[in-house]
Amino acid sequence: MRVISSLRQACMTQEILSLQVIQCLRVLTVGIVLFLSMDGLQARTADAREIAPGIYVWPGIQEEFSTHNHGHIANTGFIVGSQRVAVIDTGSSYREGLALRKMIREITQLPIGYVILTHMHPDHTLGAAAFKQDDPVFIGHEHLGDALARRQSTYLNRMKQILGDIAEGTQMVFPSQGVSVDQVKRLDLGGRSLHLQAYPTAHTNNDLSVYDDKTGTLWLSDLLFVERVPVVDGSLLGWLKVIQKLSKQACVAVSSDDAKNRSKAIETEANGQCGKVKRIVPGHGSVTAQWQSALAAQQRYLEIIAADIRAIIKKGGTITQAVESVGREEKDNWLLFNEFHGRNVTAVFAELEWE
């Protein structure tokens, strides 16, 4: 365990945005898998990396779902206040959620007051049932509940097909509270506040970010992919707008008290209620302090797709031609490019064909 912890420190403490760390992280994967058993994920405290005081991230493995990685492919974690804990995303199965909960209990016995689900995708939401025993408030974007309901059977069946027995006990949990678009909702953990913001359609139609005002940590989840190719499941044009806005900001909007929970982001920012960003936690990939560079890399990829597809559409080309040619020069810049790039081109072609 000490060896794995040391390797993780060497790979990730620099908070760099580069594929240089990928080989190192792949070595780490082997170490992590040593703690996976037929009884489920055997999580240890050292698997959750404290990236800032009281903020813990359990790094996802940069792969697709498999029994080998037990579905642990997304960054999940938790934030500890002086009175309660907030969980941010719960993994792809009940067992992964239990492993995350075990990590929390090895660090603190404070009540788990909130489970924040940043968007609908199964690698972020399907471990939520593991926390029902804590009776927390489950919170997400205002559109999250509907999105999960529409995909419930598909997600659960898919995880069972891929993970087999590992998916046993996995259930869909729906949010009991929603955050409306451009709303900044404040959660008090005791000694620190979290500020939740819901976005217009971008990566999905239900993206939510979490900002910790004590450490300047912005948890963007899948609004930002680092090292792994971004996945368009909402609107490329909407996502670019969100990225461009975030890139221009030196800070993020916060809400000063519960009475102002319905303040619009633009209003709170204008009033000076704005927290500086020191680091970003992406949905996949390394935590980075160079967050503007990370957003720029993702923006470049998405803009290349948009420009190439528009050129093909203008010439009367087909979606098949687009899949075969668009953005191919980006292949060496992203992990899982072959698995997801073609899907992105197909989705964006359909979006831009009628713009």
Side-chain angles (χ1 to χ4, degrees):
M1 196 67 220
R2 291 177 181 175
V3 173
I4 296 173
S5 181
S6 298
L7 281 171
R8 179 180 289 109
Q9 190 75 8
C11 290
M12 303 181 72
T13 53
Q14 298 178 61
E15 295 183 329
I16 59 177
L17 171 68
S18 171
L19 287 178
Q20 295 171 357
V21 297
I22 300 306
Q23 190 59 43
C24 186
L25 290 173
R26 284 174 175 164
V27 173
L28 255 182
T29 298
V30 176
I32 293 172
V33 170
L34 292 175
F35 294 93
L36 305 180
S37 76
M38 292 306 294
D39 292 329
L41 288 160
Q42 299 302 304
R44 308 292 176 89
T45 301
D47 287 335
R49 176 186 171 222
E50 187 173 19
I51 63 165
I55 299 187
Y56 296 84
V57 177
W58 186 15
I61 299 169
Q62 294 281 49
E63 299 173 354
E64 256 294 67
F65 295 110
S66 71
T67 54
H68 174 73
N69 58 40
H70 284 223
H72 177 57
I73 64 171
N75 293 337
T76 60
F78 53 98
I79 300 178
V80 181
S82 63
Q83 298 177 4
R84 59 191 64 86
V85 177
V87 178
I88 304 180
D89 288 338
T90 60
S92 59
S93 70
Y94 178 66
R95 292 190 185 186
E96 188 175 346
L98 288 177
L100 179 60
R101 186 178 184 277
K102 182 174 184 290
M103 290 184 198
I104 296 171
R105 284 295 165 245
E106 289 179 354
I107 291 170
T108 178
Q109 293 301 312
L110 287 172
I112 297 172
Y114 304 101
V115 174
I116 302 166
L117 303 175
T118 61
H119 64 290
M120 66 188 180
H121 286 151
D123 49 329
H124 295 263
T125 59
L126 290 188
F131 296 93
K132 291 176 72 173
Q133 60 189 295
D134 300 293
D135 195 27
V137 177
F138 291 91
I139 302 179
H141 189 288
E142 62 179 340
H143 297 319
L144 177 62
D146 177 69
L148 290 176
R150 291 173 182 272
R151 295 162 177 82
Q152 181 173 4
S153 60
T154 300
Y155 282 176
L156 292 175
N157 289 336
R158 185 61 175 153
M159 286 301 98
K160 186 174 181 179
Q161 290 171 2
I162 297 172
L163 301 180
D165 291 342
I166 297 170
E168 183 179 353
T170 302
Q171 304 172 16
M172 189 75 78
V173 175
F174 297 92
S176 53
Q177 286 190 18
V179 183
S180 60
V181 173
D182 288 330
Q183 177 185 357
V184 180
K185 182 177 182 63
R186 174 178 173 268
L187 303 181
D188 181 11
L189 300 187
R192 73 193 322 152
S193 293
L194 304 184
H195 305 270
L196 281 55
Q197 182 171 346
Y199 295 83
T201 302
H203 167 61
T204 68
N205 77 335
N206 50 87
D207 299 306
L208 189 75
S209 68
V210 182
Y211 176 74
D212 172 60
D213 61 9
K214 187 173 183 178
T215 64
T217 300
L218 177 60
W219 204 301
L220 276 184
S221 191
D222 279 10
L223 284 171
L224 175 64
F225 286 67
V226 174
E227 299 134 11
R228 172 176 170 155
V229 69
V231 176
V232 181
D233 197 14
S235 165
L236 176 138
L237 299 180
W239 201 352
L240 283 172
K241 288 179 181 178
V242 170
I243 293 170
Q244 289 161 3
K245 183 176 180 181
L246 287 169
S247 299
K248 293 177 182 177
Q249 297 176 181
C251 58
V252 296
V254 300
S255 180
S256 61
D257 54 51
D258 287 338
K260 295 181 179 180
N261 274 351
R262 295 189 177 278
S263 297
K264 298 294 184 181
I266 190 171
E267 294 172 349
T268 57
E269 195 170 334
N271 292 333
Q273 299 170 32
C274 194
K276 291 186 177 181
V277 178
K278 294 183 179 179
R279 67 188 61 79
I280 278 182
V281 182
H284 301 267
S286 305
V287 176
T288 179
Q290 300 176 29
W291 56 276
Q292 289 174 317
S293 296
L295 286 169
Q298 180 171 272
Q299 180 176 339
R300 184 201 67 244
Y301 170 78
L302 296 176
E303 287 180 341
I304 287 172
I305 293 177
D308 287 359
I309 289 177
R310 283 180 173 132
I312 289 175
I313 291 173
K314 186 175 182 180
K315 294 178 181 178
T318 66
I319 194 168
T320 301
Q321 292 173 324
V323 171
E324 292 174 349
S325 62
V326 166
R328 286 294 162 178
E329 67 273 23
E330 285 289 301
K331 182 176 180 179
D332 294 336
N333 295 327
W334 302 97
L335 296 172
L336 299 176
F337 183 89
N338 290 336
E339 288 81 354
F340 291 99
H341 177 71
R343 297 187 199 180
N344 287 340
V345 174
T346 300
V348 174
F349 192 99
E351 179 181 356
L352 298 183
E353 190 174 17
W354 303 105
E355 71 172 332

